[in-house]
Amino acid sequence: MAAYRGRIAPTPSGHLHLGHGRTFWIAQQRAAQRGSQLLLRNEDLDLEHCKPQFAADMLTDLRWLGLRWDEGPDVGGPFAPYVQSQRLSHYHDVWRQLVARQVIYLCRHSRRDVQQALRAPHDEQQEMIFPPKLRPRDFDRNCSSPGETNWRFRVPDGRAISFVDQRMGPVSRTAGLDFGDFLVWRKDGFPSYELAVVADDCAMRISEVVRGEDLLTSTARQLLLYAALHESPPQFFHCPLLLDEQGRRMAKRSQSKSIRQLRAEGHNPAELVRPWAALM
Ligand code: GLU
């Protein structure tokens, strides 16, 4: 059995809040309990929102909270670079494999086309399922670069994607119902989150992914990518979401206090972390 390798994968699109801190702290504890390696990967592919200052601050804030990693952008390691915007050639390789396996297609439809093709008006809260009637008839195997267009993964409609979560037990999502053909490449020249994260978790030999429960459906999408790439998936541990004082999910865009603010207010990191041990 391969050695346990965990990762924390923050996105520097704002200052991290306690919900991020808690997920990463759990990832660290799970790696530490197994006497194994933890790496930090900077997931900065959302160029519009990710800033170098947020990337520097996230490392400082996580260290203040007591987190340590064995590999990462600031400490190096055998799988460098640990910054997604520096790993584009790697994502192109994965894109090429997916083209060759005929599981992704070039999609010129705009968001508007997609909305018009849907029978019921789209509810913003629900996943927008890409309408199957907008799929092309064939796959293009001979394309040599993604170009300035979106590419989507064609999901096997009706197939149950099931896995056993290390905290939640059996989880299942149905392709075509819970999610539709999803983006793997963006027309701005970058891979989607789903492609980049699977490419990196494979390349960096991650054995367990610890992430928030809000990503359960993404995990199902990613399992389709692992299968298409003939890679064995890691195990998954989805953490419950941390709610703020108003009972709302913490998010960078909401008013949730950042780790940085809590530090400035004089909080003690050991006290912030103490209640989390019960979640392990
Ligand atoms: N960078 C992603 C985030 O911050 C990581 C999600 C994941 O664990 O795959 O949401």
Side-chain angles (χ1 to χ4, degrees), residues 72 165 179:
D165 183 76
F179 63 94

Side-chain angles (χ1 to χ4, degrees), residues 185-278:
W185 204 273
R186 306 173 345 208
K187 60 182 177 199
D188 62 0
F190 288 89
S192 70
Y193 155 69
E194 312 288 4
L195 184 147
V197 90
V198 168
D200 287 341
D201 286 336
C202 287
M204 296 178 180
R205 315 241 197 294
I206 298 304
S207 67
E208 183 181 81
V209 167
V210 176
R211 56 166 60 126
E213 250 178 23
D214 54 328
L215 290 173
L216 279 167
T217 303
S218 272
T219 295
R221 291 186 193 100
Q222 291 169 27
L223 285 169
L224 288 173
L225 284 173
Y226 282 102
L229 294 166
H230 303 172
E231 293 277 359
S232 20
Q235 297 209 300
F236 295 95
F237 182 103
H238 288 82
C239 305
L241 298 180
L242 189 61
L243 304 178
D244 64 15
E245 298 90 53
Q246 281 80 43
R248 290 171 318 199
R249 190 186 135 189
M250 286 201 179
K252 289 184 191 126
R253 59 185 173 278
S254 73
Q255 298 308 310
S256 317
K257 271 189 194 162
S258 64
I259 297 174
R260 193 146 274 253
Q261 280 169 294
L262 294 166
R263 179 184 183 177
E265 287 172 9
H267 285 268
N268 174 345
E271 268 164 35
L272 293 173
V273 159
R274 193 163 303 130
W276 301 343

Side-chain angles (χ1 to χ4, degrees), residues 20-227:
H20 301 112
R22 190 179 71 170
T23 302
F24 301 150
W25 184 86
I26 292 173
Q28 167 172 274
Q29 294 303 304
R30 290 184 65 80
Q33 281 168 354
R34 292 158 182 82
S36 59
Q37 301 288 302
L38 182 74
L39 65 84
L40 183 142
R41 187 170 67 227
N42 171 353
E43 302 210 325
D44 62 346
L45 288 178
D46 175 1
L47 299 190
E48 197 191 325
H49 299 106
C50 292
K51 305 277 174 250
Q53 189 58 50
F54 290 141
D57 290 350
M58 81 188 177
L59 302 185
T60 311
D61 295 348
L62 291 176
R63 285 197 188 280
W64 175 77
L65 206 53
L67 284 155
R68 300 290 178 269
W69 41 93
D70 307 290
E71 301 168 29
D74 52 343
V75 291
F79 298 95
Y82 294 92
V83 178
Q84 287 194 320
S85 59
Q86 296 170 17
R87 298 178 60 80
L88 288 185
S89 63
H90 188 75
Y91 306 136
H92 275 111
D93 288 347
V94 170
W95 173 85
R96 270 190 286 277
Q97 287 181 53
L98 295 170
V99 170
R101 302 231 158 101
Q102 303 193 55
V103 289
I104 62 172
Y105 61 86
L106 188 155
C107 173
R108 294 191 201 282
H109 292 290
S110 63
R111 201 177 160 79
R112 203 155 151 250
D113 294 342
V114 174
Q115 275 167 343
Q116 277 173 359
L118 292 169
R119 265 175 241 124
H122 168 55
D123 171 354
E124 283 300 332
Q125 294 307 311
Q126 276 176 352
E127 164 94 20
M128 183 160 72
I129 308 277
F130 185 80
K133 65 181 172 194
L134 297 185
R135 284 170 172 159
R137 255 191 232 126
D138 300 306
F139 292 98
D140 180 357
R141 283 180 85 163
N142 300 316
C143 208
S144 58
S145 108
E148 289 176 6
T149 31
N150 286 326
W151 287 74
R152 287 180 187 273
F153 185 98
R154 184 184 169 126
V155 304
D157 291 337
R159 188 188 299 169
I161 316 295
S162 307
F163 63 99
V164 179
D165 183 76
Q166 298 302 299
R167 183 182 72 88
M168 303 172 69
V171 176
S172 190
R173 293 287 186 272
T174 305
L177 209 63
D178 293 317
F179 63 94
D181 293 359
F182 57 90
L183 275 189
V184 289
W185 204 273
R186 306 173 345 208
K187 60 182 177 199
D188 62 0
F190 288 89
S192 70
Y193 155 69
E194 312 288 4
L195 184 147
V197 90
V198 168
D200 287 341
D201 286 336
C202 287
M204 296 178 180
R205 315 241 197 294
I206 298 304
S207 67
E208 183 181 81
V209 167
V210 176
R211 56 166 60 126
E213 250 178 23
D214 54 328
L215 290 173
L216 279 167
T217 303
S218 272
T219 295
R221 291 186 193 100
Q222 291 169 27
L223 285 169
L224 288 173
L225 284 173
Y226 282 102

